[in-house]
Amino acid sequence: MKPDEYLRVPVCNSCGAKSWRIDTWMNARNTRKTSCSCSGYVHMTRREWPHRIGSKYCWYRKDGTQRMEGDADFKDFQMEQMQ
């Protein structure tokens, strides 16, 4: 459903935001080529969540190389919540 079609707006599990929008950039492209379902977002939703490759908690960079723990650009949602 489009964000304005909801009777009750869903709340983000990680930050509590209710400001949803349609990602027109992603909808205009081949999403299978640019999406990822790595385990970087599993801890927030308890299931694999498709997301844009190279996004904040994604375990892969935009060029397809893997981010590992210890890399400067590696972010872990659970570790940030504990700090």
Side-chain angles (χ1 to χ4, degrees):
M1 288 176 37
K2 294 180 182 175
D4 57 350
E5 293 176 354
Y6 284 96
L7 295 176
R8 229 178 334 157
V9 180
V11 178
C12 178
N13 292 336
S14 63
C15 68
K18 293 183 179 181
S19 57
W20 298 94
R21 62 181 173 81
I22 297 172
D23 190 348
T24 53
W25 182 89
M26 193 71 157
N27 289 341
R29 283 152 181 82
N30 181 358
T31 56
R32 294 198 188 281
K33 190 181 217 180
T34 58
S35 72
C36 181
S37 60
C38 70
S39 298
Y41 285 87
V42 169
H43 44 273
M44 293 177 358
T45 60
R46 305 289 186 245
R47 63 186 174 104
E48 288 182 358
W49 188 259
H51 53 275
R52 191 179 297 170
I53 192 167
S55 57
K56 185 175 182 178
Y57 298 113
C58 183
W59 290 357
Y60 295 92
R61 295 180 186 93
K62 286 184 181 180
D63 63 358
T65 59
Q66 189 172 10
R67 292 178 179 156
M68 304 293 279
E69 286 189 50
D71 290 346
D73 60 347
F74 183 82
K75 304 251 187 253
D76 187 10
F77 179 77
Q78 288 180 331
M79 295 304 283
E80 286 186 8
Q81 294 299 318
M82 295 173 77
Q83 294 176 352

